[in-house]
């Protein structure tokens, strides 16, 4: 699986961008400038970038409220992302989607979804549409280990398998469903093993190794495009932050928090790039500096943008007919 | 009586070859079942103590649950990192404890790691991996009984335990790694999902077993020049357009035409440098190492590899010694 140096450095830059973007949101919540719930994917950058780079631009990816990174990895503009999360009219959803319902249709992202579980059944609908179009595109859905215990998970996999839909279910197992550890809530060791019950392939992947994720998704997507039907991948990872910003994570021991931080996907990838003599420390530092500048521009863009006007409070919320009502 | 060690790798039998090939998933609950049968075999032979490598799934703990046996289970006191080093650490401790043998559950990769530190303690390998040449598919009960025979035997090197060769990678005089079956060299890349299946990236293969009846890269050599573990020689194959194309099962269900430019046997003491660096090195089927441009890597074969309990020979020996015969029946 050969990737060009340019592509590899681009992947590294995306990972750093996601990290810095999310970190800036964390600071905004702590500083009181960003109200409401924000769920950050710090620590899960290898998942977002590995998945995004293995897909075609015409594939669709549905995700959760912890997946701002997925949209950034697929090429969403961080200025409009930031504006959206801050409720500004220049955001991707004109400030009405916010962090929890960010959708970027031109990047194949029908929306982050805070209601976990149903996104898998919705993804089947997208997959059915793509199958009917017959252009070889696939529908991917990301969900957590908690959602894998919900009925929709099983219903969606069963139907996808029966209809041989071009659907890829990705369980991002970050070990915690809000505050419940997967060891206390899951009867089996690997959620991917549930694939057997639906007659589809299943695989566990190191979700903190971006190249392992990229390789696994590339091969799975290839199989799905060939018409072999859906698959279930489990990307095992960690979230470095609480379930939401402000969550003190009292359900984790300090030792556990320290241990999970040791397996940080970004330094891991940097080390791989350096060991393979693909790049130098200097180039990696320049990338980080560039990202910080781009992020600063995004912060200013969002700050300078307006909130939606009051008279548009109902605009774009309903279909035309509903709006008329 | 010497104790018996058990190292069951909870990570074996799950890699990407379930996707890119047609490998079966080897669920850890099945490993628990196999270990249970091994324990019952050991218990029937009168073994007093078993030492388990602890693991995150608790294969040993679960295997012993509700098992009505006299044999006592102990769990090694060691740090668990959920990494291959766990098996290496456990093998080192079991060797120090003077285990009669170490029963391993895993694939070639698991046994490679165990063989690094087990010293002269023999291995009794049960296959629960993907592309396995070193361990064999064997019923756990028989494996447990054979391990029991090994523990009962007082001879330091009975006839049913044999030494097999290994390949070593050297940087100068320093051994940096080993392989029990194959070293596969391919174009530089990432370790990523570890397995190798893309023959377009292959450069050369070193084998210490080349058997047409094997799965994996050992089968490529098997059609060039048959080499068993008793031959004590190595086979070096250069991949590329040339006089041969070998139809080889490089993974379960994955049969590929592998182009072979040249091949030759090599003997212990011959140091063969890698043809190209930088390169990705896969050991016993798993991408393990990147060798940089400036690294001068040498491959050699050594006949003094790990000791292995030959299960059929062990059970034949037991029959010859009438170890399993009921004396009452003999008297009749």
């Amino acid at each position: 699986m050969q990737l060009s140096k340019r592509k590899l450095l681009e992947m590294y830059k995306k990972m750093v961008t996601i990290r810095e973007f999310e970190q800036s949101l964390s600071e905004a919540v702590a500083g009181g400038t960003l109200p409401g719930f924000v769920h950050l994917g710090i620590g899960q950058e290898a998942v977002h970038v590995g998945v995004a780079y293995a897909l075609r631009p015409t594939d669709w990816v549905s995700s959760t409220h912890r997946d701002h990174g997925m949209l950034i990895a697929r090429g969403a503009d961080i200025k409009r992302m930031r504006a959206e999360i801050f409720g500004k009219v220049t955001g991707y959803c004109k400030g009405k989607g916010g962090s929890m319902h960010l959708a970027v249709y031109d990047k194949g992202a029908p929306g982050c979804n805070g209601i976990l579980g149903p996104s898998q059944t919705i993804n089947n609908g997208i997959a059915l549409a793509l199958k009917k179009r017959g252009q070889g595109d696939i529908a991917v859905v990301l969900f957590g280990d908690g959602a894998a215990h919900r009925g929709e998970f099983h219903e969606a996999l069963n139907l996808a398998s029966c209809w041989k839909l071009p659907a890829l279910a990705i369980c991002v197992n970050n070990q915690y469903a809000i505050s419940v550890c997967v060891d206390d809530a899951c009867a089996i060791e690997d959620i991917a093993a549930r694939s057997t019950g639906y007659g589809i392939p299943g695989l566990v992947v190191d979700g903190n190794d971006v190249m392992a994720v990229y390789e696994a998704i590339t091969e799975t997507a290839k199989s799905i495009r060939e018409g072999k039907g859906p698959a279930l991948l489990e990307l095992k990872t960690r979230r470095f932050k609480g379930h939401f910003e402000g969550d003190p994570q009292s359900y984790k021991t300090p030792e556990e928090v320290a241990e999970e931080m040791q397996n940080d996907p970004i330094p891991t990838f940097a080390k791989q790039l350096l060991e393979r003599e693909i790049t130098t420390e200097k180039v990696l530092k320049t990338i980080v500096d560039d990202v910080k500048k781009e992020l600063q521009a995004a912060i200013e863009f969002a700050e300078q943008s307006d909130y939606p006007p009051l008279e548009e409070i109902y605009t774009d919320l309903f279909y035309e007919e509903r709006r008329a009502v | 009586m010497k104790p018996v060690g058990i190292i069951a790798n909870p990570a074996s039998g799950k890699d990407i070859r379930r996707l890119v090939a047609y490998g079966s998933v080897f669920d850890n609950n099945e490993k628990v079942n196999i270990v249970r049968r091994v324990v019952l075999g050991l218990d029937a032979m009168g073994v007093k103590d078993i030492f388990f490598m602890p693991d995150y799934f608790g294969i040993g703990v679960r295997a012993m649950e509700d098992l009505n046996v006299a044999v006592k289970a102990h769990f090694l006191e060691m740090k668990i990192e959920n990494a291959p080093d766990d098996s290496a650490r456990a093998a080192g401790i079991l060797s120090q404890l003077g285990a009669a043998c170490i029963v391993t559950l895993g694939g070639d990769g698991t046994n490679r790691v165990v063989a690094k530190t087990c010293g002269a303690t023999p291995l009794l390998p049960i296959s629960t991996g993907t592309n396995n040449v070193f361990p064999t598919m064997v019923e756990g009960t028989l494996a447990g009984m054979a391990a029991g025979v090994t523990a009962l035997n007082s001879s330091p090197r009975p006839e049913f335990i044999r030494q097999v060769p290994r390949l070593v990678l050297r940087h100068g005089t320093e051994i940096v790694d080993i392989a029990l079956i194959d070293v596969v060299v391919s174009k530089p890349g990432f370790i990523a999902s570890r397995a190798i299946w893309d023959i377009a990236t292959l450069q050369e293969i070193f084998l210490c077993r080349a058997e047409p009846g094997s799965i994996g890269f050992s089968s490529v050599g098997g059609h060039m020049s048959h080499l068993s573990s008793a031959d004590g020689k190595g086979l070096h194959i250069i991949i590329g357009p040339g006089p041969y194309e070998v139809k080889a099962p490089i993974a379960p269900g994955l049969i590929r035409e592998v182009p072979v430019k040249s091949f030759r046997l090599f003997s212990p003491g011959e140091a063969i440098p890698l043809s190209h660096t930088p390169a990705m090195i896969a050991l016993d089927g798993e991408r393990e190492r990147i060798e940089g441009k400036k690294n001068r890597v040498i491959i050699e074969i050594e006949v003094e590899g790990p000791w292995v309990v030959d299960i059929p020979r062990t059970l034949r020996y037991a029959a010859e010694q009438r170890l399993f015969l009921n004396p009452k029946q003999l008297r009749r």
Side-chain angles (χ1 to χ4, degrees), chain A residues 46-67:
Chain A
V47 168
H48 296 137
V49 174
V51 171
Y53 274 75
L55 298 177
R56 290 180 184 171
T58 46
D59 292 329
W60 284 78
V61 184
S62 307
S63 48
T64 75
H65 53 311
R66 201 178 300 290
D67 293 317

Side-chain angles (χ1 to χ4, degrees), chain B:
Chain B
M1 184 188 288
K2 288 181 175 178
V4 169
I6 298 181
I7 294 178
N9 177 6
S12 68
K14 296 179 181 182
D15 71 30
I16 198 169
R17 283 169 289 192
R18 275 91 211 138
L19 270 178
V20 298
Y22 294 86
S24 306
V25 175
F26 219 108
D27 183 67
N28 281 341
N29 287 309
E30 185 49 32
K31 290 175 199 164
V32 170
N33 283 334
I34 294 172
V35 170
R36 245 179 221 152
R37 303 200 290 269
V38 170
V39 170
L40 288 164
L42 290 167
D43 188 59
M45 297 306 296
V47 171
K48 303 271 185 274
D49 297 286
I50 304 171
F51 285 87
F52 284 99
M53 174 183 80
D55 69 88
Y56 64 85
F57 186 75
I59 293 175
V61 175
R62 290 173 195 235
M64 293 306 294
E65 271 173 13
D66 306 323
L67 210 55
N68 187 18
V69 287
V71 63
K72 207 169 166 192
H74 312 268
F75 292 87
L76 299 178
E77 286 183 18
M78 55 175 271
K79 189 180 172 195
I80 306 209
E81 293 176 338
N82 302 328
D85 279 352
D86 291 346
S87 299
R89 244 188 323 274
I93 299 169
L94 290 169
S95 174
Q96 284 172 4
L97 285 171
C101 64
I102 301 171
V103 178
T104 59
L105 276 78
D108 291 339
T110 306
N111 283 285
R112 181 182 71 84
V113 172
V114 170
K116 285 184 185 182
T117 55
C118 69
T121 307
L123 308 181
L124 196 153
I126 302 173
S127 171
T128 62
T130 315
N131 281 18
N132 298 326
V133 180
F134 191 84
T136 46
M137 296 293 279
V138 61
E139 165 52 39
T141 320
L142 297 177
M145 292 176 85
V149 172
T150 311
L152 285 171
N153 196 283
S154 54
S155 159
R157 283 291 166 229
E159 62 194 61
F160 51 81
I161 297 179
R162 61 201 164 84
Q163 194 167 24
V164 297
R166 65 178 191 170
L167 294 162
V168 297
L169 272 80
R170 288 183 194 277
H171 284 176
T173 54
E174 184 199 356
I175 294 179
V176 293
D177 222 319
I178 64 161
L180 301 179
I181 305 298
D182 55 41
V183 175
V184 176
V185 184
S186 51
K187 289 177 189 166
F190 289 82
I191 289 171
S193 46
R194 292 190 169 270
I196 31 173
W197 67 90
D198 182 4
I199 59 166
T201 63
L202 297 188
Q203 293 176 326
E204 54 193 321
I205 304 173
F206 298 84
L207 298 168
C208 59
R209 282 201 213 175
E211 292 166 354
S214 298
I215 186 91
F217 289 96
S218 171
S219 67
V220 178
H223 294 279
M224 310 266 76
S225 178
H226 183 270
L227 262 186
S228 79
S229 60
D231 291 326
K233 290 202 169 197
L235 183 64
H236 180 205
I237 302 170
I238 303 282
I239 304 297
Y244 312 101
E245 247 182 20
V246 184
K247 192 178 289 205
I250 60 166
L254 202 65
I255 299 151
R256 293 285 180 266
E257 302 275 350
V258 182
V260 173
K261 197 171 178 183
S262 64
F263 68 95
R264 78 173 186 91
L265 289 168
F266 62 101
S267 303
E270 270 188 78
I272 306 180
L274 287 196
S275 306
H276 305 85
T277 50
M280 169 64 72
I281 311 288
L283 303 169
D284 293 332
E286 293 180 352
R287 281 173 270 172
E288 285 285 341
R289 307 176 59 84
I290 292 286
E291 294 293 352
K293 209 173 186 175
K294 292 173 191 160
N295 289 2
R296 189 164 180 276
V297 189
I298 281 167
I299 311 285
E300 285 181 322
I301 185 159
E302 289 183 350
V303 287
E304 297 89 10
W307 294 86
V308 180
V309 178
D310 182 324
I311 298 169
R313 282 179 73 176
T314 308
L315 296 175
R316 265 200 306 276
Y317 165 86
E320 285 159 14
Q321 300 296 315
R322 296 175 178 267
L323 292 180
F324 298 171
L325 276 187
N326 184 332
K328 281 182 191 169
Q329 289 171 344
L330 270 183
R331 276 201 294 276
R332 278 183 215 148

Side-chain angles (χ1 to χ4, degrees), chain A:
Chain A
M1 195 139 300
Q2 304 290 316
L3 279 170
S4 67
K5 177 181 169 180
R6 186 187 59 78
K7 200 64 126 181
L8 290 165
L9 291 179
E10 198 182 293
M11 289 169 79
Y12 180 76
K13 185 175 180 186
K14 287 284 187 201
M15 289 174 78
V16 174
T17 304
I18 296 166
R19 174 68 56 92
E20 294 291 329
F21 184 86
E22 296 283 78
Q23 194 59 45
S24 74
L25 295 182
S26 173
E27 287 159 14
V29 172
T33 54
L34 179 58
F37 273 121
V38 180
H39 306 75
L40 301 180
I42 293 178
Q44 299 181 186
E45 296 86 353
V47 168
H48 296 137
V49 174
V51 171
Y53 274 75
L55 298 177
R56 290 180 184 171
T58 46
D59 292 329
W60 284 78
V61 184
S62 307
S63 48
T64 75
H65 53 311
R66 201 178 300 290
D67 293 317
H68 304 145
M70 193 69 237
L71 306 185
I72 295 172
R74 293 209 85 203
D77 178 358
I78 58 170
K79 286 182 179 171
R80 295 188 66 194
M81 289 278 297
R82 175 97 184 180
E84 182 59 41
I85 290 167
F86 278 77
K88 299 297 181 76
V89 74
T90 51
Y92 274 110
C93 307
K94 299 182 189 170
K96 292 175 184 168
S99 163
M100 303 277 267
H101 303 284
L102 235 162
V104 186
Y105 274 77
D106 62 354
K107 299 292 177 195
C112 297
N113 194 339
I115 310 299
L116 306 171
S119 56
Q120 294 161 71
T121 50
I122 294 168
N123 193 58
N124 274 356
I126 300 171
L128 180 61
L130 294 177
K131 186 175 182 175
K132 285 186 178 295
R133 283 183 194 168
Q135 290 168 349
D137 296 327
I138 68 170
V140 180
V141 59
L142 272 65
F143 52 91
D145 41 291
H149 306 322
R150 293 185 52 132
E152 295 95 333
F153 166 88
H154 300 278
E155 294 162 17
L157 281 188
N158 185 57
L159 190 68
S161 180
C162 287
W163 288 0
K164 275 199 169 238
L165 294 178
L168 171 55
I170 299 179
C171 176
V172 182
N173 182 353
N174 64 18
Q175 316 292 312
Y176 281 91
I178 305 182
S179 58
V180 179
C181 180
V182 68
D183 293 343
D184 300 326
C186 188
I188 55 170
E189 180 194 0
D190 298 321
I191 288 163
R194 291 181 179 165
S195 64
T196 313
Y198 302 103
I200 61 173
L203 186 72
V204 177
V205 181
D206 178 355
N208 279 8
D209 181 340
V210 67
M211 294 311 294
V213 174
Y214 172 80
E215 204 165 74
I217 302 291
T218 302
E219 292 299 329
T220 314
K222 192 170 132 197
S223 156
I224 296 171
R225 289 187 216 289
E226 286 168 359
K228 293 179 182 168
L232 170 64
L233 259 57
E234 180 182 1
L235 310 185
K236 294 208 180 189
T237 183
R238 289 288 191 161
R239 58 167 155 85
F240 291 176
K241 305 287 281 184
H243 172 67
F244 57 88
E245 275 307 281
D247 171 10
Q249 298 200 81
S250 52
Y251 43 86
K252 288 184 186 174
T253 63
E255 292 77 25
E256 186 181 356
V257 173
E259 196 183 320
E260 61 192 19
M261 302 279 272
Q262 281 176 5
N263 193 11
D264 188 327
I266 297 179
T268 300
F269 190 39
K271 191 169 168 234
Q272 290 172 356
L273 294 171
L274 293 170
E275 277 176 357
R276 283 152 191 75
E277 297 166 10
I278 288 164
T279 191
T280 61
E281 293 269 14
K282 194 179 165 192
V283 171
L284 295 184
K285 189 181 175 305
T286 308
I287 288 174
V288 175
D289 292 343
D290 289 348
V291 167
K292 285 184 174 166
K293 279 182 208 152
E294 288 166 21
L295 180 62
Q296 188 52 40
I299 291 170
E300 286 164 15
F301 174 80
E303 275 173 3
Q304 289 157 13
S305 297
D306 293 327
Y307 288 107
L310 189 60
E311 57 271 24
E312 286 186 14
I313 194 164
Y314 295 117
T315 310
D316 299 323
L317 290 190
F318 304 104
Y319 284 116
E320 279 306 311
E321 311 89 77
R322 288 292 187 98
R323 197 156 61 126
V325 172

